[in-house]
Every structure is written in structure tokens, then in C-alpha cells.
Amino acid sequence: MLRRLLPDSRQPARMVVFGFGLAVLVGTALLLLPVASTSGTPTNWVTALFTATSAVCVTGLIVVDTAAHWSTFGELVVLGLIQIGGLGIMTLASLLGLLVTRRLGLRMQRTAQTETKSLDLGDVRSVIAGVIMVSLTVETLTAAALTARFAIGYGQPLGHAGYFGVFHAVSAFNNAGFALYPNSLMRYATDPWVCVPVLVAIVIGGLGFPVLFGIGRRLRQRQRRLSLHARITLFTYGALVLLGTVTVTAFEWSNPETLGRFGIGGKLLAGVFHGITPRTAGFNTVEVGEMHPATLLVTDILMFIGGGSAGTAGGIKVTTFALLAFVIAAEVRGVPSVHVMGRKLPNGVQRQALTVVLLGVGMVIAATLTLLLLSPFGLDAVLFESISAFGTVGLSTGITADLPHAAQLVLVVLMFTGRLGPITLASALALRERGRRYELPEERPIVG
């Protein structure tokens, strides 16, 4: 009976969904315990489920203040779920990517001598060890920097500073956005000794383990070239960070409710912070709900795109966005095939990218329409909330806690599918790719 309930191990995408679903259920059960709340009474099941899903999916949307509602035990449960979610996403996505690469490599290149159809034990150990080493190293260094700043710069007791440093370091690297302050990191908006370590952890976690591994290998073997995936990710990620920083800083420069109340240095620091945090980090140093509508729209776009593949960031991923841009550019030029950085893109990859994007758009539209029907809030706020949940960002205009339970459950589903959907869908499509034995007569319908 139990074997029937468990997913088929030959279907890795199903295993991923099952594993994360189980983590959400266990986290919900722990947060329902009376000891998890500061009041000592059981928490509402919707609140517990929402928080557990947000933590496991490293989103950061909250319906109750983390420090005020949850006890130390509850905070540690949230922290553990964030760590499990971040490590799980990076590990499983990296393994799925390696599995896809090897299967397609065998099929297309016919190099059976050097490629295998499945991952061997050495590959699995290498990926898991690499992910854990990178995660713990970055989190430790970030926690040390934040602890020193909290203790020396703000006079916090060392134990308190260490606890806050570790919590925010783990949350930053995993792009979770959970904070132990009621207004996120707004009190540190002009403090580079807090903001910069957080931003560095966000970027490293958001690039993805394959890119980090490629950079490390490139530094050790100077003659080795970065993979196409790594080059596309780094270029697109950097371009989007620059675009986000410039637009947020320009649009909010004179807004007295956001950047307008800071000096030039503070404006630039906050502008950079909010140019990076839509990569799915979720922290904020200014009031998002007071931003100009144009800034919110730009943030919507950045949140939907997200960060790097096989990392802690969500969204459709920067590589998916870049691939579609390359396809469009080739089509506009009338080129029959898509060439990028000295390589040709397979037709199957182009179709997979298009599928992921269109399904993502459909999910956001469906969720936005549902939230509009279930809540009294306007389109700007609801759309922002939907994209934030789908992209596992965690930024909010402040309406999350005021949504009815039915609307919060919609966000729970959106966070879960948004976190796992692009990964499992892309891998499932790639692993199911097969040749066609015949072709039907060709006929072109009218486009446009």
C-alpha cells in the first residue's frame, strides 16, 4: 500500500514534488504545535501552512510577523525549513540538470564511451557535497559579517547578534526574505555593513550551483572556458541587475516615502538593494507599497524573470528569458537557426523555454483573477502579490496578511507550483524528448 502512495523513482520530477510536499506538511505540523507560537496556543492551520510553504519554497511572504508571532522554537522551524528548501532546490535541480545533459548528450552526440544514461554515485556525491560546501561557506561568512556589525555597530549582546546574524544570513543566501524585524531591513537602509553582505549572499545564491561550480573550475583551470549556460546566466543576470538598479533609483529618487528621505549615498545604496532584491530575495529597505506604479511594474517584470537555474532564486529563470530573446532576435533577422556565443541552440530547448514562460504567464493570470474575485484590493497590488508568490520573491505591498484565507490558500498553491513548476516541467520535457519516425505534409497558417 505504501509503495503505491510513493512516486515512481524513475520519474525524478515526481520525486521532487513529493519530497517538497512532505517537507511542507512536516513543517506545518511543527508550526501548529503550541510551543511554536509566543502565545503558547496553537496557530491557525492556514497560517501554519502558509508559513511552512513560504519557508520551504524560500519565498518570504508572511501573514504574521515572524518575530512577534513565532517563538524561538517556531523561528528555528522556519529557519530549518528555509535551509532544507534552499539546499533541496539547489541539489535536486543540479542533479536533474546533469541527468538531462547526460541523456541528451548520449542521444545527440553518440558518445557512449564517455557518457552514461544515468547519474552514478560519484556524480550524486559530488553535487551534494558541492552544494553543501558552497551553502555553508557563504552562510557562515555572511553570518560572521552581520554578527560583527550587530554587536559592534549596534551594541547588541553577542548571543543575540549571532542569532540574528545566522538567521538573516541563511535567509539571504537562500533568497528567502524572512526577517526578524517587522519592517524587514528598513532600519538598515543606509547601512552598507548590513546591506552589502546580504546582497552578496543573495547574488551568490541566486546565480545557481552550476554557474558557481563553473566559475570555481575556471579559476582552478585557467584555460577552461565557461559553459554556455554560465555565460548566458552571468550576462543576463548582470544586465537585469543594472536595469533594475537604474530604474528603481531614477523612479524613486524624489519620492519622499522611499528614496527621497535619504542622502545621495543612501539613495544609491537603497536603489542597488531594490535592483537586486527582485531577483527573488524578498528583503526590502524601503516601503514597497509606497513605490511609484512604474517602479512596481518594473519590479513585477524582474520578479517574474527571477534568477539563475539550479539556485535558490525562483521565477522562469534568466536563462529562459535570454533564450527567448535570442529566438526573437533570430526571427526578426530572418535567420533560420539560433546561434548564441558560438553555439547553436537546439529546437527542443527553444520549445521548452517557450512552454515554461507561457505556462508561467497563465499561472500568474489565473491567480491574479482569482485574487481579484476573493479580495477587495486593486489590480496593481494583487498582480504584484501573485508574481511575488510565483517567483518565490516575498516582496509585498502589504496586503498579504489582510487577504481572506481562501486567497491565502491560492498563494500557497502558487508558491509551491512557482517554486517547483519551472524546474520539474523543464526537466520532464527534456527527459521525454524523443525522435519522430515520420513527418506530416507541411502547411503554414497565417501568423499575426
Side-chain angles (χ1 to χ4, degrees), residues 92-146:
L92 293 173
S94 298
L95 290 174
L96 285 174
L98 187 56
L99 177 61
V100 168
T101 300
R102 290 201 165 189
R103 281 203 177 179
L104 297 184
L106 175 63
R107 181 181 304 149
M108 294 185 297
Q109 300 174 15
R110 306 298 183 186
T111 54
Q113 295 83 1
T114 58
E115 300 282 354
T116 58
K117 276 195 174 183
S118 60
L119 297 176
D120 58 38
L121 188 58
D123 293 323
V124 175
R125 286 178 176 174
S126 176
V127 170
I128 294 176
V131 168
I132 293 177
M133 183 185 69
V134 169
S135 300
L136 294 183
T137 299
V138 176
E139 290 171 356
T140 300
L141 294 176
T142 305
L146 294 178

Side-chain angles (χ1 to χ4, degrees), residues 227-271:
S227 67
L228 177 63
H229 168 77
R231 284 178 284 156
I232 291 177
T233 299
L234 290 171
F235 174 79
T236 311
Y237 193 103
L240 292 175
V241 166
L242 179 61
L243 173 65
T245 298
V246 171
T247 54
V248 170
T249 304
F251 294 164
E252 300 298 319
W253 187 269
S254 301
N255 187 345
E257 301 299 327
T258 55
L259 303 188
R261 56 195 176 93
F262 303 136
I264 294 180
K267 290 179 179 180
L268 294 177
L269 179 60

Side-chain angles (χ1 to χ4, degrees), residues 42-66:
T43 299
N44 179 281
W45 72 270
V46 175
T47 299
L49 175 62
F50 190 100
T51 305
T53 305
S54 184
V56 171
C57 297
V58 290
T59 304
L61 287 175
I62 56 174
V63 291
V64 292
D65 181 73
T66 303

Side-chain angles (χ1 to χ4, degrees), residues 8-40:
D8 188 349
S9 60
R10 294 170 297 180
Q11 300 291 333
R14 295 182 184 178
M15 292 291 291
V16 173
V17 174
F18 178 81
F20 275 81
L22 182 61
V24 169
L25 293 178
V26 172
T28 301
L30 291 175
L31 292 177
L32 284 172
L33 298 175
V35 70
S37 67
T38 55
S39 63

Side-chain angles (χ1 to χ4, degrees), residues 88-439:
I89 284 293
M90 292 186 73
T91 302
L92 293 173
S94 298
L95 290 174
L96 285 174
L98 187 56
L99 177 61
V100 168
T101 300
R102 290 201 165 189
R103 281 203 177 179
L104 297 184
L106 175 63
R107 181 181 304 149
M108 294 185 297
Q109 300 174 15
R110 306 298 183 186
T111 54
Q113 295 83 1
T114 58
E115 300 282 354
T116 58
K117 276 195 174 183
S118 60
L119 297 176
D120 58 38
L121 188 58
D123 293 323
V124 175
R125 286 178 176 174
S126 176
V127 170
I128 294 176
V131 168
I132 293 177
M133 183 185 69
V134 169
S135 300
L136 294 183
T137 299
V138 176
E139 290 171 356
T140 300
L141 294 176
T142 305
L146 294 178
T147 299
R149 183 55 177 167
F150 292 153
I152 298 174
Y154 295 94
Q156 297 180 7
L158 186 58
H160 183 273
Y163 177 67
F164 272 55
V166 170
F167 189 98
H168 292 94
V170 173
S171 185
F173 174 75
N174 291 287
N175 281 217
F178 278 88
L180 295 179
Y181 302 104
N183 56 359
S184 191
L185 299 180
M186 288 178 60
R187 65 184 64 193
Y188 303 116
T190 59
D191 187 347
W193 298 102
V194 172
C195 292
V196 172
V198 169
L199 289 178
V200 171
I202 289 170
V203 171
I204 294 176
L207 285 175
F209 178 72
V211 175
L212 299 177
F213 182 75
I215 293 174
R217 189 169 51 187
R218 175 69 175 83
L219 294 176
R220 294 191 302 270
Q221 306 171 5
R222 296 186 180 277
Q223 76 282 2
R224 190 177 182 90
R225 189 182 186 186
L226 285 175
S227 67
L228 177 63
H229 168 77
R231 284 178 284 156
I232 291 177
T233 299
L234 290 171
F235 174 79
T236 311
Y237 193 103
L240 292 175
V241 166
L242 179 61
L243 173 65
T245 298
V246 171
T247 54
V248 170
T249 304
F251 294 164
E252 300 298 319
W253 187 269
S254 301
N255 187 345
E257 301 299 327
T258 55
L259 303 188
R261 56 195 176 93
F262 303 136
I264 294 180
K267 290 179 179 180
L268 294 177
L269 179 60
V272 171
F273 195 97
H274 280 270
I276 293 177
T277 196
R279 293 272 67 75
T280 82
F283 291 110
N284 62 284
T285 57
V286 298
E287 189 62 61
V288 175
E290 300 296 334
M291 287 182 170
H292 192 277
T295 309
L296 293 179
L297 180 58
V298 170
T299 305
D300 284 339
I301 297 172
L302 296 176
M303 291 192 301
F304 184 78
I305 296 172
S309 301
T312 56
I316 62 170
K317 305 298 186 297
V318 293
T319 46
T320 306
F321 171 75
L323 290 180
L324 288 186
F326 294 137
V327 171
I328 293 173
E331 188 65 27
V332 169
R333 296 197 311 269
V335 180
S337 58
V338 182
H339 290 191
V340 179
M341 299 180 183
R343 294 290 187 271
K344 178 183 176 181
L345 292 183
N347 292 332
V349 173
Q350 300 173 37
R351 294 195 303 270
Q352 291 161 20
L354 181 62
T355 302
V356 169
V357 171
L358 290 182
L359 287 179
V361 170
M363 290 170 58
V364 169
I365 292 176
T368 301
L369 179 60
T370 305
L371 292 181
L372 285 173
L373 296 174
L374 294 175
S375 71
F377 300 105
L379 177 60
D380 284 352
V382 167
L383 178 62
F384 192 94
E385 200 81 6
S386 296
I387 296 178
S388 182
F390 169 78
T392 68
V393 183
L395 291 175
S396 175
T397 56
I399 69 172
T400 314
D402 297 324
L403 291 172
H405 283 173
Q408 292 175 359
L409 291 176
V410 171
L411 292 181
V412 166
V413 175
L414 193 59
M415 286 189 289
F416 192 82
T417 54
R419 171 72 274 184
L420 299 178
I423 297 172
T424 56
L425 176 63
S427 62
L429 289 174
L431 291 172
R432 291 181 60 187
E433 185 176 298
R434 54 184 180 268
R436 183 186 290 273
R437 297 180 182 273
Y438 63 91
E439 293 288 347

